[in-house]
Amino acid sequence: LSRNIVGCALALLLTSIPLVQGIGAQVDQENWDLTPTFTFSVVQQEFTPAFDSLDSAQLVLSNMGAMGWPGGPMYLSIRGGGADGPIIATSQPTFVSTWYEGLVGFGFAEPVSLIPGQIYALAPFNTIAAAPFGVTPPRYSGGQFYGNFQVAEYDLIFREGIGLEIVPE
């Protein structure tokens, strides 16, 4: 009995630690400056993968200014051919609590096949309200950022790759 209690306590401890990357995680492309300088509610970030697939991505939710996330499920679509391309995959839902700020991870049920060197776009969305995603000055050269449906001089704070942690859940 005591071994089961210790095992359950260890499992609870390990699952409650908010990791940025899972064990064996591999980042393919990223723009990872965790200090947002501005937020946009409708975003798409083009990226040019080096890997031939992805199974997860991470974005930063930022409640800068008066905008605040009301809570609920979020999703991430991958568009082939850039921001105007067709949706080729949509993540599983990730539940994000009210007024949450920080890392949001998205996972796909199956790895999404990609062609290295071709352009794709990350397009987060939800069915509740606009969510304020953090951006930084442009540093990422693998694609353009679209904020509120226009090309903007920023880049989304993002990572995509294999085995990235899905937080919060």
Side-chain angles (χ1 to χ4, degrees):
L1 177 64
S2 64
R3 190 171 22 179
N4 286 342
I5 292 171
V6 171
C8 289
L10 181 59
L12 179 60
L13 174 66
L14 291 176
T15 57
S16 65
I17 298 172
L19 299 174
V20 171
Q21 247 175 261
I23 296 173
Q26 296 177 325
V27 174
D28 178 22
Q29 297 292 300
E30 70 179 350
N31 180 51
W32 201 243
D33 176 350
L34 295 178
T35 309
T37 57
F38 198 70
T39 62
F40 283 91
S41 57
V42 179
V43 299
Q44 290 189 79
Q45 174 69 53
E46 294 179 335
F47 69 100
T48 306
F51 292 176
D52 64 1
S53 68
L54 68 82
D55 71 357
S56 50
Q58 297 171 329
L59 307 178
V60 172
L61 196 60
S62 172
N63 287 327
M64 294 175 65
M67 293 178 64
W69 170 244
M74 288 187 169
Y75 304 84
L76 181 67
S77 289
I78 305 296
R79 292 182 173 271
D84 292 331
I87 294 173
I88 61 171
T90 299
S91 73
Q92 303 283 51
T94 296
F95 183 82
V96 182
S97 62
T98 304
W99 288 94
Y100 174 80
E101 284 188 275
L103 180 70
V104 179
F106 299 91
F108 295 84
E110 298 290 327
V112 180
S113 294
L114 305 172
I115 300 171
Q118 297 291 316
I119 197 153
Y120 295 85
L122 301 170
F125 71 96
N126 61 78
T127 57
I128 298 170
F133 287 96
V135 297
T136 63
R139 294 185 185 103
Y140 179 70
S141 62
Q144 292 187 334
F145 170 77
Y146 293 79
N148 300 336
F149 306 106
Q150 298 178 24
V151 174
E153 292 297 317
Y154 294 95
D155 282 316
L156 185 65
I157 300 171
F158 79 97
R159 282 183 171 167
E160 61 84 11
I162 305 294
L164 302 178
E165 195 69 23
I166 309 303
V167 288
E169 281 265 357

